[in-house]
Amino acid sequence: MTANFLVQAAVFLAAAAIAAPIAKKLNISSVLGYLAAGVLIGPYGLGFVYSVYQVESILHIAEYGVALLLFLIGLELRPKRLWTMRQSIFGLGAGQVAVCALCLTPLATLFGISWDKAVFVALALSLSSTAFVLQVLEEKGELTTRHGRAAFSILLFQDLAAIPLIAMIPLWGAGAPGSGLSLVDAAFAIGAILAVVVVGRYLLSRLYKLVAMTGVREALTASALLTVVGVALLMEAVGLSAALGAFLAGALLADSPYRHQIEADIAPFEGLLLGLFFTAIGMALNLNLLADQTLVILAGVVGLVAVKAGVIFILG
C-alpha cells in the first residue's frame, strides 16, 4: 500500500511539474494543462489512478485548494473595500443569476423537464465555478482590473445564492428525500457565518500576534492553514461552501499586520492543492460518455455559454 501511494504521489507531482509549464509554453491557461494531465492519468485514460472512488477521495482533499485560493483573495480585500463592492455584488451578481435563470428555464423545458424542476435546473446552471474563473483571472493578472472585480462580484454573489438554492431543493423535489436545508439547518448555517465573522474580527489577529511572538515561522504557517481548514470544516458541517467561509476568514484578516506573511506562507500550498484539484477534475471526466454523446454535450455547452455570455455582456 505504501509503495502504491508513493507511485501515485509521484504521478501527481509529475503532472503538476509538467502540465503547467507545457500549458504556459502553448500560451493557454494552466487549468487546461492540469485538466489534460488528469484525463491522461485517470481511470478513463492510461489508468495510473485506477478507480472513480480514488478520484473522488483525491478531489475531496484537493477542494481545500479552492478554499486556500478564496482565503488568499480575501486577504487582498479589506472589509471597507468589500463594502464598496456591494452594488456590484448584489446588483450585477443578482442580475446575472436572475436573468440567466429566466433565459435558461424555457430551454430546460425543451428537454422534457417539468417547469418547476426546470426553474431549479436553470438556477443551478446560472452559477459558475469560482475556482476555474478566479484561477484564469489570476494567471492573466486581471483580477484587480475593473472587469476582474466585476467577475469576482458575480462569483461571490453566486456563492451566497447557493445557500438558499440548497435550502429550497425539497420545494422542487429535485433531490433525494432529506436533501436540502431545513429551517434548523439554515439557522445553524447563519450562526456559523456569524461565528466566523466574530472570531475573525476580534480573535484571530490577537492569536496570530501571540504565535508571531514565539518567533517560530512554522507555527505561523500552521496557524494560517489551521484557520482555513477549521473554517472549511465548520462550513461543511452546516452544509455551506467551505470556500465561502475561507473567503470570509481571509477578508477579516485583511487588516492584520501579518497579512503578507500569511499570504507568503500559504501560497505554495494553495498552488499545489489547486493544481491537484484541476487534475482530479480531469481524471473524473468520462471520455466514453463524451464519445457517445458528443453532439448533445457540445450543443449543451455552446448553448449554455452563449446564453450566459450574452446576459453578462448586456448587464456589463
Side-chain angles (χ1 to χ4, degrees), residues 19-278:
I22 291 178
K24 186 174 182 180
K25 190 70 174 179
L26 296 175
N27 200 27
I28 60 176
S29 171
S30 63
V31 173
L32 295 178
Y34 287 128
L35 289 174
V39 171
L40 185 64
I41 67 177
Y44 301 105
L46 297 179
F48 286 110
V49 176
Y50 307 107
S51 68
V52 176
Y53 172 77
Q54 286 178 306
V55 174
E56 292 177 351
S57 300
I58 295 166
L59 188 58
H60 183 71
I61 297 172
E63 284 175 349
Y64 286 105
V66 182
L68 288 175
L69 172 65
L70 269 293
F71 180 75
L72 291 177
I73 291 173
L75 285 175
E76 298 295 331
L77 290 174
R78 291 177 172 83
K80 289 182 179 179
R81 184 180 175 188
L82 193 60
W83 178 250
T84 62
M85 296 172 61
R86 64 188 184 280
Q87 290 184 345
S88 295
I89 296 172
F90 295 100
L92 185 59
Q96 182 270 329
V97 172
V99 177
C100 280
L102 287 174
C103 295
L104 292 171
T105 297
L107 294 178
T109 59
L110 296 178
F111 290 89
I113 304 174
S114 60
W115 72 267
D116 54 339
K117 292 184 176 65
V119 173
F120 176 82
V121 170
L123 285 169
L125 290 177
S126 69
L127 308 183
S128 308
S129 170
T130 301
F132 276 70
V133 179
L134 292 183
Q135 177 70 8
V136 173
L137 288 173
E138 190 176 45
E139 286 180 2
K140 294 183 176 182
E142 298 178 354
L143 195 54
T144 57
T145 63
R146 185 178 183 183
H147 65 272
R149 291 195 299 269
F152 176 73
S153 299
I154 292 174
L155 293 168
L156 184 56
F157 180 84
Q158 290 178 355
D159 284 341
L160 295 172
I163 299 172
L165 185 58
I166 294 172
M168 290 187 291
I169 287 177
L171 298 180
W172 278 293
S179 61
L181 294 175
S182 65
L183 291 177
V184 176
D185 293 333
F188 274 116
I190 295 172
I193 293 176
L194 293 176
V196 170
V197 172
V198 172
V199 172
R201 180 69 179 84
Y202 297 105
L203 295 180
L204 277 183
S205 291
R206 292 179 174 84
L207 291 175
Y208 280 122
K209 182 179 180 179
L210 293 175
V211 173
M213 289 174 62
T214 65
V216 182
R217 181 170 179 175
E218 293 80 2
L220 190 62
T221 303
S223 300
L225 290 173
L226 179 61
T227 298
V228 178
V229 173
V231 170
L233 289 174
L234 176 62
M235 291 294 107
E236 288 183 344
V238 296
L240 300 182
S241 166
L244 176 61
F247 169 76
L248 289 175
L252 293 168
L253 283 171
D255 290 324
S256 170
Y258 307 103
R259 175 172 66 90
H260 296 293
Q261 183 64 54
I262 294 171
E263 187 175 359
D265 290 341
I266 282 187
F269 296 96
E270 177 261 338
L272 281 174
L273 283 175
L274 205 57
L276 179 60
F277 171 77
F278 293 126

